[in-house]
Every structure is written in C-alpha cells, then in structure tokens.
Amino acid sequence: LVAVFHSSTPAHADEGESVLSLNTAAAGFSIPDHKAFGGVVGGDYEYGLTDLIWLRASGGGGAFYDSTAEAPAYAGYGEVGITYVLDVLRYVPHVDLGVGGIFIQGDDIEEPLKPLVSLGAGLDLLTSRSRSMGVFVRFESFLSRSAFYQVGIRSSWRWGFF
C-alpha cells in the first residue's frame, strides 16, 4: 500500500474541470415477471463544482435477453446526479448518486417507463492529465419493484483543468 501511494503522482482536480466518458457494460434489469440480461453502451458528462463534488448526467441504451419473452427487450436510460471524487492520486475512486428513469420495450412489458434512484462506484486510472480509463458498478431501483444494474468499463477525456 505504501508503494502505491509513493509511486502515484498527484492528480489535482480543479473546479470547472469537465469529463466526458464513453462506457460499455454487462447489464440487467428486473421488473415484475421479467428478469433480463444483456449489455449497454452509454456516456457520462461530469462537471467539477469543487475538487470533490461533481455534477453528472448519464444516458445510454442496450439490448437484453429475457428468458420469459419470445423477442429481445431494449432499454434506454437517463439520469442526473452528483459524484464524489477523491481525485488526489493517479488512481481516482468515485461514488455517485442520481435520479432518472429507464424505458424498457419488450414482450408483455406493461408500464415501460420506470423511475430510478441510482447508486454507483468506480475506480479510474489517469493515463495522462487529459485521459483516464476505469471500471464502475451502478445499481438503480425505486419503489416500483424494478431494478437496473451495470458492471462495466469506461474511457474518459478531461479538459478545463488549467
């Protein structure tokens, strides 16, 4: 652990910094009478309010295999929220919280629009001052007995740090 901290260079996040990330993930959803697994592609935009707190907007879509349906299901999602970033080393952990929704289209899916509250976490590796890559997990659910989850990788571009 000591070697990791000594070999890591400081990242020095600044307020006003922006991050655009493209991601891909294994994903799934669970709603009454349906459990489906598949994959999604998406993107995140984050804007640093301070060096620790960032605003975040996310969106994407994907295709899912539902064993109870004759055809695949398709989904699109979007959300807004905040991200807590510990951007002081080359390895950057982050936790995010957001609200949004998912629209699911498939066989026998009643009420395709579901509201969601999301909780996520990840770890990025700064490969340069303007680039990073990382892993993330997100779980999204609400009182509607629905759940949407993702485990994936992301590639990010950073600017506005001067």
Side-chain angles (χ1 to χ4, degrees), residues 1-161:
L1 187 58
V2 172
V4 169
F5 285 109
H6 284 291
S7 67
S8 295
T9 56
H12 302 301
D14 293 322
E15 57 185 69
E17 184 174 342
S18 293
V19 177
L20 180 64
S21 301
L22 299 177
N23 59 61
T24 185
F29 68 82
S30 175
I31 58 176
D33 301 322
H34 295 276
K35 286 190 168 99
F37 303 95
V40 295
V41 293
D44 298 331
Y45 172 75
E46 296 169 304
Y47 177 80
L49 295 176
T50 70
D51 60 339
L52 296 175
I53 305 294
W54 296 57
L55 291 179
R56 182 177 57 82
S58 295
F64 300 86
Y65 171 74
D66 182 349
S67 62
T68 63
E70 294 179 18
Y74 301 95
Y77 66 92
E79 68 178 77
V80 295
I82 59 170
T83 301
Y84 178 80
V85 179
L86 189 57
D87 195 357
V88 295
L89 297 173
R90 188 170 174 210
Y91 300 93
V92 181
H94 52 89
V95 176
D96 54 69
L97 180 65
V99 295
I102 184 170
F103 182 84
I104 304 169
Q105 182 64 48
D107 286 348
D108 301 325
I109 294 180
E110 303 168 15
E111 301 179 30
L113 184 60
K114 308 285 186 192
L116 297 171
V117 174
S118 74
L119 177 63
L123 180 68
D124 286 352
L125 169 64
L126 293 174
T127 56
S128 72
R129 187 61 189 110
S130 61
R131 293 290 317 267
S132 65
M133 59 184 157
V135 296
F136 70 94
V137 296
R138 280 195 190 127
F139 178 76
E140 301 163 309
S141 186
F142 198 64
L143 301 175
S144 62
R145 297 184 0 212
S146 62
F148 176 55
Y149 46 89
Q150 303 178 57
V151 176
I153 58 174
R154 72 184 202 162
S155 180
S156 304
W157 294 266
R158 302 166 175 270
W159 70 93
F161 42 81

